Amino acid sequence: MSSTGKKPIAFLFPAFPVLHQTFVLWEVLALRQQGVPIALYSLKRPSTGSQQPEGAALAREVTYLPRTLSGPVLWANVRTLVESPRRYVGTFVGLVREWWRDRHAKSLWRDKSAPRDAAMRMLSLREWMQVVTNQHPLMYLLRSLWLVLPAVYLGRELQRAGIDRVHAHWASYPTTVALVMRWIFGIPFSFTAHAYDIYLVPQLLSAKVRTAEFVVTCARVNALYMGQLAGPAARERIIVNYHGVNLERFRPRVPARHEGLPRIVTCGRLQLYKGHHILLQACAQLTQPVRCIVIGEGPQRANLERLAQSLGIGDRVEFTGPLPQEEVARLYSEASLFVLASIVIESTGRRDVIPNVLAEAMAMQVPVVSTDISGIGELVTDGVSGRLVRPNDPSALARVLDDLLQDEPQRRRLALGGYAKVIAEFDRNRNIHALADLFLDRPAEHAVAPLSAVSAPPA
């Protein structure tokens, strides 16, 4: 029982905390400040020990599930099979049935403009293995069936702890575990859907939406996609709640003075779908030299460093690695432009939806440039709150960057427009309050957007 007297809600993650998923960390901390009692559970430990300071402190209270073939997990499954054989066996049957029902789901929502395989040549061996194991529908089914074992263990542990409600972050494997616990133990659940977790392999997604008490997602485009999958009866459960920005940390600052070239800053995990390679190609085509600062870490770093050297701009590109958010904000304040050249990897479904880094830069009154994909248009209106260009087009991006670098009044106008957009719709405190209303079952006092209020996808 929490200090507030309310039973805690089990928040379940694939891995927690993760450095490049700071938006999830801030959400947990902010919900607790709103009085939501949260117990933290994770399917596995993060692959890296690097954390934001707040994440390192929170990691100490996370319950990490034991290995699937460990004694406690196997014993929990034996007991459940003996006590509830029909539910236990029926869960395996149900997963196969729902997987088969969704076998053609991916065709419902595809980015027809995205190249199918051009960027795939840059994937590392590890990334290729992730594509094979995470994207293939049959592999997804096998992994989902395997998750019945830890789900049974966790379900029994939650019952022992007196926890009768689960919220899963990411619509993929954590929500599969939540679905299994609902079928076997009757534990109600909700979940948050983000980006790749609904587009990578949408099998089982419609069952999750239909069974959940409610579904939270960070973009209208996501809500419409899930609504198509799950059907009209489930659409009212889907709620759009933008992640939002910490307006105290990411606030307008007096532009930092620095010597030398104009600075273009980008931030995000160094993976193909972030489009950092497109930005580097665009920087090489600019009519004036710039300094490009790339914040983040990831499997594409070596490729990107080689690309910068081959383009002749290696001495003007800085790869910072992962940084604390206060240092990220400082680098934003020094930027002439913030650019995120996101693309859709059509072969895998990997994509950005509404990248938080764009909203952070806009909150600091830094003019932003991005690509017209997924839900980015919900944040950036071309010519009003930033600039949007076609994805996978370094030349088009270079033309827009050249135009902005030579036009300070335009940069200032877009910076103010971006700031106004964030203040109006992406204030994290207001959006978190709306989310807390859901978890605490109290009347909504702040803006939330059920799917029924979302009429059509962005053009």
Side-chain angles (χ1 to χ4, degrees), residues 241-421:
N241 184 278
Y242 294 129
H243 289 146
V245 179
N246 182 339
L247 297 178
E248 296 175 1
R249 174 166 290 172
F250 296 97
R251 64 187 186 279
R253 303 184 182 184
V254 176
R257 293 183 177 275
H258 57 80
E259 300 289 334
L261 302 174
R263 297 191 178 192
I264 289 177
V265 173
T266 190
C267 181
R269 186 156 170 78
L270 306 188
Q271 291 186 308
L272 274 180
Y273 72 96
K274 293 294 184 179
H276 299 309
H277 57 296
I278 303 296
L279 174 58
L280 294 182
Q281 293 173 50
C283 286
Q285 297 180 32
L286 295 177
T287 59
Q288 61 175 305
V290 297
R291 183 163 185 79
C292 182
I293 299 174
V294 182
I295 306 169
E297 191 56 85
Q300 284 293 312
R301 178 161 181 168
N303 285 339
L304 293 169
E305 289 175 336
R306 285 193 293 269
L307 177 61
Q309 292 295 333
S310 69
L311 292 169
I313 59 173
D315 61 335
R316 292 186 273 117
V317 178
E318 177 185 352
F319 293 90
T320 71
L323 296 174
Q325 283 210 323
E326 189 56 41
E327 182 65 10
V328 171
R330 184 189 67 79
L331 290 173
Y332 287 172
S333 72
E334 298 176 353
S336 301
L337 295 170
F338 181 91
V339 183
L340 192 66
S342 303
I343 63 174
V344 175
I345 308 297
E346 182 68 8
S347 299
T348 68
R350 291 302 296 260
R351 70 192 71 195
D352 273 322
V353 176
I354 303 180
N356 297 303
V357 291
L358 284 171
E360 291 168 359
M362 293 163 70
M364 296 189 68
Q365 295 187 8
V366 179
V368 302
V369 180
S370 193
T371 50
D372 191 11
I373 65 168
S374 301
I376 292 178
E378 296 177 39
L379 172 66
V380 180
T381 301
D382 186 37
V384 177
S385 54
R387 291 299 310 273
L388 294 177
V389 299
R390 294 188 305 274
N392 291 286
D393 193 337
S395 297
L397 179 58
R399 288 192 294 270
V400 168
L401 297 182
D402 262 332
D403 179 47
L404 288 170
L405 289 170
Q406 296 168 20
D407 189 344
E408 185 174 355
Q410 182 184 183
R411 294 202 307 273
R412 184 60 181 161
R413 176 176 59 79
L414 295 176
L416 293 174
Y419 178 71
K421 177 70 172 182

Side-chain angles (χ1 to χ4, degrees), residues 7 31 38 46 149 156 158 163 171 201 224 287 290 296 338 354 367 386 412 429 439 453:
K7 289 184 179 180
L31 285 173
I38 295 173
L149 276 68
R156 298 183 75 95
L158 294 182
I163 296 175
V201 181
L224 287 158
T287 59
V290 297
F338 181 91
I354 303 180
R412 184 60 181 161
N429 287 339
F439 288 119

